[in-house]
Amino acid sequence: MARLRPRPGILEIEPYVGGKAEVAGIVRAVKLSANESPIGPSPRAIAALQAAAPEAHRYPDGAAERLRRAIGARFDLDPDRIVCGAGSDELIQLLMRAYAGPGDEVLYSAHGFLMYKLSALAVGATPFAAPERALTADVDALLARLSSRTRMVFLANPNNPTGSYLAADELARLHAGLPEDVLLVIDAAYAEYVRRNDYTAGMDLVDRADNVVMTRTFSKLFGLAALRLGWLYAKPPVVDVLHRIRGPFNVGTPAQVAGVAALDDLEHQERARTHNDRWLPWLAQQLSGLGLAVHPSVANFVLVSFGNAGGRSAAAASAWLEQRGIIARAMAAYGLPDCLRLSVGLEDENRAAVAALKEFMA
Ligand SMILES: Cc1ncc(COP(=O)(O)O)c(C=O)c1O
């Protein structure tokens, strides 16, 4: 008897597991597992959400006109070259559906964001991971793995979960090494946090080349992860393709109005950035002081290696933290089983995490 079967590749997918949010028996856990903004959404975004509630029976603006104009004004971009999505996750999936399929290869770096592999498999494409150097994407290794079947290269810059980044010249070198029919997707989800002169989120590359896309999100610095809102910047032919395949109402009104309000609140954005500037280095220093290897990060989280010395494994540390109501992100799914990732939290959350790990290491 014929059996119902999904397309090849689908059953190879281990469903993405988001950062845990709860610990049994703990009323309010300290959630440092999903790189969210610890200071929460802008009050203006909250007010916009509340104001939109009575209109919940109306379909959203399918073109996200006001939102695209607001993004364009804020980042000095042509709104017609912006596409909005239900989180940048949706945009990654749309790009994959549009440009890769069975027989095609999709390339990314070994500890790159997990969604690249999962969404490549979902469209029947073959995912390929290139090795990294010191937990940083390696341009030569990526270029060495190009084949005639490679259709797309994904680079999270900065990368989650390593926190490392490629400088503008390296990014340009990666692009220069790609054939014109290979699409480079620069996932700049954490761009707003980066404080480095040699960093570019990638808009300049999009302007210079036809085969580059930059994706961004409102889930991190803007503190709107629950609303699912992302956007991308691309050349008109790519934009045209995405409009053909996206859902006609893929971004809801709450996300659109909150996004516009959040963009408008520069003070809140600055507060989020200043908070990160203070606590990211603090976390890194404190954890290094405990004898842990902390990988340099330019985003809003740190990757910590436990290295299993004296039986102090990352898994044991994770359990120890959880018993104290603190949730870190386990990294086995990223091929980093001896690491934990900790997002920058509020001051008391950061202090609690460091105090708990200090006890753990003692
Ligand atoms: C590198 C990277 N890209 C994309 C995303 C997805 O973000 P969202 O779908 O919330 O916009 C994340 C989320 O953690 C991420 O770390």
Side-chain angles (χ1 to χ4, degrees), residues 300-352:
N300 68 339
F301 55 86
V302 286
L303 183 72
V304 185
S305 267
F306 284 78
N308 213 5
R312 293 192 188 91
S313 68
S318 178
W320 177 275
L321 287 169
E322 273 195 27
Q323 282 158 12
R324 287 151 185 80
I326 300 165
I327 311 173
R329 184 62 158 267
M331 289 282 111
Y334 279 94
L336 298 164
D338 72 333
C339 295
L340 289 182
R341 193 192 67 201
L342 284 165
S343 311
V344 171
L346 293 171
E347 172 171 355
D348 57 336
E349 297 174 327
N350 300 328
R351 291 191 187 280

Coordinates of all heavy atoms in Angstrom, one line a residue, residues 300-352:
N300 N 25.2 40.3 21.6 CA 24.6 40.5 22.9 C 24.6 39.1 23.7 O 23.7 38.9 24.4 CB 23.2 41.0 22.8 CG 22.2 40.0 22.2 OD1 22.6 39.1 21.5 ND2 20.9 40.2 22.4
F301 N 25.7 38.4 23.4 CA 25.8 37.1 24.1 C 27.2 36.7 24.1 O 28.1 37.2 23.4 CB 24.9 36.0 23.4 CG 25.3 35.9 21.9 CD1 26.3 35.1 21.5 CD2 24.6 36.6 21.0 CE1 26.7 35.0 20.2 CE2 24.9 36.5 19.6 CZ 26.0 35.7 19.2
V302 N 27.6 35.7 25.0 CA 28.9 35.1 25.0 C 28.9 33.6 24.9 O 27.9 33.0 25.5 CB 29.7 35.5 26.3 CG1 30.2 37.0 26.2 CG2 29.0 35.2 27.5
L303 N 29.8 33.1 24.2 CA 30.0 31.6 24.1 C 31.1 31.2 25.1 O 32.2 31.8 25.0 CB 30.3 31.2 22.7 CG 30.4 29.7 22.4 CD1 29.0 29.1 22.5 CD2 31.1 29.4 21.1
V304 N 30.8 30.3 26.0 CA 31.7 29.9 27.0 C 32.1 28.5 26.9 O 31.2 27.6 26.8 CB 31.1 30.1 28.4 CG1 32.1 29.9 29.5 CG2 30.5 31.5 28.5
S305 N 33.4 28.2 26.9 CA 33.9 26.8 26.8 C 34.2 26.2 28.2 O 34.9 26.9 28.9 CB 35.2 26.7 26.0 OG 35.0 26.5 24.7
F306 N 33.7 25.1 28.5 CA 34.0 24.5 29.8 C 35.1 23.5 29.7 O 35.9 23.3 30.6 CB 32.7 23.8 30.4 CG 31.8 24.8 30.9 CD1 31.0 25.5 30.0 CD2 31.7 25.1 32.2 CE1 30.1 26.5 30.5 CE2 30.9 26.1 32.7 CZ 30.1 26.8 31.9
G307 N 35.3 22.9 28.5 CA 36.5 22.0 28.3 C 36.5 20.8 29.2 O 37.5 20.1 29.2
N308 N 35.5 20.6 30.0 CA 35.4 19.4 30.8 C 36.4 19.1 31.8 O 36.6 18.0 32.3 CB 35.3 18.1 29.8 CG 34.4 17.1 30.4 OD1 33.8 17.3 31.4 ND2 34.4 15.9 29.8
A309 N 37.2 20.2 32.2 CA 38.2 20.0 33.2 C 37.6 19.7 34.6 O 36.7 20.3 35.0 CB 39.0 21.3 33.3
G310 N 38.2 18.7 35.2 CA 37.8 18.2 36.5 C 36.3 17.8 36.6 O 35.6 18.0 37.6
G311 N 35.8 17.3 35.5 CA 34.4 16.9 35.5 C 33.4 18.0 35.4 O 32.2 17.8 35.5
R312 N 33.9 19.2 35.2 CA 33.0 20.4 35.1 C 32.6 20.6 33.6 O 33.1 21.4 32.9 CB 33.7 21.6 35.6 CG 33.9 21.6 37.1 CD 34.3 23.0 37.6 NE 34.8 22.9 39.0 CZ 36.0 22.7 39.3 NH1 37.0 22.6 38.4 NH2 36.4 22.7 40.6
S313 N 31.6 19.8 33.2 CA 31.2 19.9 31.8 C 30.1 21.0 31.6 O 29.5 21.5 32.6 CB 30.6 18.5 31.4 OG 29.3 18.4 32.1
A314 N 29.9 21.3 30.4 CA 28.9 22.3 30.0 C 27.5 21.8 30.5 O 26.7 22.6 31.0 CB 29.0 22.6 28.5
A315 N 27.3 20.5 30.3 CA 26.0 20.0 30.7 C 25.8 20.1 32.2 O 24.7 20.5 32.6 CB 25.9 18.5 30.2
A316 N 26.8 19.8 32.9 CA 26.7 20.0 34.4 C 26.5 21.4 34.8 O 25.7 21.7 35.7 CB 28.0 19.4 35.1
A317 N 27.2 22.3 34.1 CA 27.0 23.7 34.4 C 25.6 24.2 34.1 O 25.0 24.9 34.8 CB 28.0 24.6 33.6
S318 N 25.1 23.7 33.0 CA 23.7 24.0 32.6 C 22.7 23.6 33.6 O 21.8 24.3 34.0 CB 23.4 23.4 31.2 OG 22.1 23.7 30.8
A319 N 22.9 22.3 34.1 CA 22.0 21.8 35.1 C 22.1 22.6 36.4 O 21.1 22.9 37.1 CB 22.3 20.3 35.4
W320 N 23.3 22.9 36.8 CA 23.6 23.7 38.0 C 22.9 25.1 37.9 O 22.2 25.5 38.8 CB 25.1 23.9 38.1 CG 25.6 24.7 39.2 CD1 25.7 26.1 39.3 CD2 26.0 24.3 40.5 NE1 26.2 26.5 40.5 CE2 26.4 25.4 41.3 CE3 26.1 23.0 41.1 CZ2 26.9 25.3 42.6 CZ3 26.6 22.9 42.4 CH2 27.0 24.1 43.1
L321 N 23.0 25.7 36.8 CA 22.3 27.0 36.6 C 20.8 26.9 36.7 O 20.1 27.7 37.3 CB 22.7 27.6 35.2 CG 24.2 28.2 35.1 CD1 24.5 28.5 33.6 CD2 24.3 29.4 35.9
E322 N 20.3 25.8 36.0 CA 18.9 25.6 36.0 C 18.3 25.4 37.4 O 17.2 25.9 37.7 CB 18.5 24.5 35.1 CG 18.3 25.0 33.7 CD 17.6 24.0 32.8 OE1 16.8 23.2 33.3 OE2 17.8 24.0 31.6
Q323 N 19.1 24.7 38.2 CA 18.6 24.5 39.6 C 18.5 25.8 40.3 O 17.8 25.9 41.3 CB 19.6 23.6 40.4 CG 19.5 22.1 40.0 CD 20.8 21.3 40.4 OE1 21.7 21.9 41.0 NE2 20.9 20.1 39.9
R324 N 19.2 26.8 39.8 CA 19.1 28.1 40.5 C 18.3 29.1 39.6 O 18.3 30.3 39.8 CB 20.6 28.7 40.6 CG 21.3 27.9 41.7 CD 22.8 27.9 41.5 NE 23.4 27.1 42.6 CZ 23.4 25.7 42.6 NH1 22.9 25.0 41.6 NH2 23.8 25.0 43.6
G325 N 17.5 28.5 38.7 CA 16.5 29.3 38.0 C 17.1 30.1 36.8 O 16.5 31.0 36.3
I326 N 18.3 29.7 36.4 CA 19.0 30.5 35.3 C 19.1 29.6 34.1 O 19.7 28.5 34.2 CB 20.4 30.9 35.8 CG1 20.3 31.8 37.0 CG2 21.1 31.7 34.7 CD1 21.6 32.0 37.8
I327 N 18.6 30.1 33.0 CA 18.7 29.2 31.8 C 19.7 29.7 30.8 O 19.6 30.9 30.3 CB 17.3 29.2 31.1 CG1 16.2 28.9 32.1 CG2 17.3 28.2 30.0 CD1 14.8 29.1 31.5
A328 N 20.7 28.9 30.5 CA 21.7 29.2 29.4 C 21.3 28.3 28.2 O 20.4 27.5 28.3 CB 23.1 28.8 29.9
R329 N 22.0 28.6 27.1 CA 21.7 27.8 25.9 C 22.7 26.7 25.7 O 23.9 27.0 25.6 CB 21.7 28.7 24.7 CG 21.2 28.0 23.4 CD 19.8 27.4 23.5 NE 19.3 27.3 22.1 CZ 18.6 28.2 21.5 NH1 18.3 29.3 22.1 NH2 18.2 27.9 20.3
A330 N 22.3 25.4 25.7 CA 23.2 24.3 25.4 C 23.6 24.4 24.0 O 22.8 24.8 23.1 CB 22.5 23.0 25.7
M331 N 24.7 23.9 23.6 CA 25.3 24.1 22.3 C 25.6 22.8 21.5 O 26.2 22.9 20.5 CB 26.6 24.9 22.4 CG 26.4 26.4 22.8 SD 25.8 27.3 21.4 CE 24.2 27.7 21.8
A332 N 25.1 21.7 22.0 CA 25.4 20.4 21.3 C 24.8 20.5 19.9 O 25.5 20.0 18.9 CB 24.7 19.3 22.1
A333 N 23.7 21.1 19.7 CA 23.1 21.1 18.3 C 24.0 21.9 17.3 O 23.9 21.8 16.1 CB 21.7 21.8 18.4
Y334 N 24.9 22.8 17.9 CA 25.8 23.5 17.1 C 27.1 22.9 16.9 O 28.1 23.5 16.5 CB 26.0 24.9 17.7 CG 24.8 25.9 17.3 CD1 23.8 26.1 18.1 CD2 24.8 26.6 16.1 CE1 22.7 26.9 17.8 CE2 23.8 27.4 15.8 CZ 22.7 27.6 16.6 OH 21.7 28.4 16.3
G335 N 27.2 21.6 17.4 CA 28.5 20.9 17.4 C 29.5 21.5 18.4 O 30.7 21.4 18.2
L336 N 29.0 22.1 19.5 CA 29.9 22.7 20.5 C 29.4 22.2 21.9 O 29.0 22.9 22.7 CB 29.8 24.2 20.5 CG 30.3 24.9 19.2 CD1 29.8 26.3 19.1 CD2 31.8 24.8 19.0
P337 N 29.5 20.8 22.1 CA 28.9 20.3 23.3 C 29.6 20.7 24.6 O 29.0 20.6 25.6 CB 29.1 18.7 23.1 CG 30.2 18.6 22.1 CD 30.1 19.8 21.2
D338 N 30.8 21.2 24.5 CA 31.4 21.6 25.8 C 31.3 23.1 26.0 O 31.9 23.7 26.8 CB 32.9 21.2 25.8 CG 33.8 22.1 24.9 OD1 33.2 22.5 23.9 OD2 35.0 22.2 25.2
C339 N 30.3 23.7 25.3 CA 30.1 25.2 25.4 C 28.6 25.5 25.9 O 27.7 24.7 25.7 CB 30.3 25.9 24.1 SG 31.9 25.9 23.5
L340 N 28.5 26.6 26.5 CA 27.2 27.2 26.8 C 27.2 28.6 26.2 O 28.2 29.2 26.2 CB 26.9 27.3 28.3 CG 26.6 26.0 29.1 CD1 26.3 26.3 30.5 CD2 25.5 25.2 28.5
R341 N 26.0 29.0 25.8 CA 25.9 30.4 25.4 C 25.0 31.1 26.4 O 24.0 30.6 26.8 CB 25.2 30.5 24.0 CG 25.3 31.8 23.3 CD 24.4 31.9 22.1 NE 23.0 31.9 22.5 CZ 22.0 31.6 21.8 NH1 22.2 31.2 20.5 NH2 20.8 31.6 22.2
L342 N 25.5 32.3 26.8 CA 24.8 33.1 27.8 C 24.5 34.5 27.1 O 25.4 35.2 26.7 CB 25.6 33.3 29.0 CG 25.8 32.2 30.0 CD1 26.9 32.5 30.9 CD2 24.5 32.0 30.8
S343 N 23.2 34.9 27.1 CA 22.8 36.2 26.6 C 23.1 37.2 27.7 O 23.0 36.9 28.9 CB 21.4 36.2 26.2 OG 21.0 35.1 25.4
V344 N 23.4 38.4 27.3 CA 23.5 39.5 28.3 C 22.1 39.8 28.8 O 21.1 40.0 28.1 CB 24.0 40.8 27.6 CG1 23.9 42.0 28.5 CG2 25.4 40.6 27.1
G345 N 22.0 39.7 30.1 CA 20.7 40.0 30.8 C 20.7 41.3 31.5 O 21.5 42.2 31.3
L346 N 19.7 41.5 32.4 CA 19.7 42.7 33.2 C 20.8 42.6 34.3 O 21.3 41.5 34.5 CB 18.3 42.8 34.0 CG 17.1 43.1 33.1 CD1 15.8 42.9 33.9 CD2 17.2 44.4 32.4
E347 N 21.1 43.7 34.9 CA 22.3 43.6 35.8 C 22.2 42.5 36.9 O 23.1 41.7 37.0 CB 22.4 45.0 36.6 CG 23.5 44.9 37.7 CD 23.8 46.2 38.3 OE1 23.3 47.3 37.8 OE2 24.6 46.2 39.3
D348 N 21.0 42.4 37.5 CA 20.9 41.3 38.6 C 21.0 39.9 38.0 O 21.5 39.0 38.6 CB 19.7 41.5 39.4 CG 18.4 41.6 38.6 OD1 18.5 41.9 37.4 OD2 17.3 41.2 39.2
E349 N 20.5 39.8 36.7 CA 20.5 38.5 36.1 C 22.0 38.1 35.7 O 22.4 37.0 35.9 CB 19.7 38.5 34.8 CG 18.2 38.8 35.1 CD 17.4 38.9 33.8 OE1 17.9 39.5 32.8 OE2 16.2 38.6 33.8
N350 N 22.7 39.1 35.2 CA 24.1 38.8 34.9 C 24.9 38.4 36.2 O 25.7 37.5 36.2 CB 24.8 40.0 34.3 CG 24.1 40.4 33.0 OD1 23.6 39.6 32.3 ND2 24.0 41.7 32.7
R351 N 24.6 39.2 37.2 CA 25.3 38.9 38.5 C 25.0 37.6 39.0 O 25.8 36.8 39.6 CB 25.0 40.0 39.5 CG 25.6 41.4 39.1 CD 25.5 42.4 40.3 NE 26.0 43.7 39.9 CZ 27.3 44.1 39.8 NH1 28.2 43.2 40.1 NH2 27.6 45.3 39.4
A352 N 23.7 37.2 38.9 CA 23.2 35.9 39.4 C 23.9 34.8 38.6 O 24.3 33.8 39.2 CB 21.7 35.8 39.3

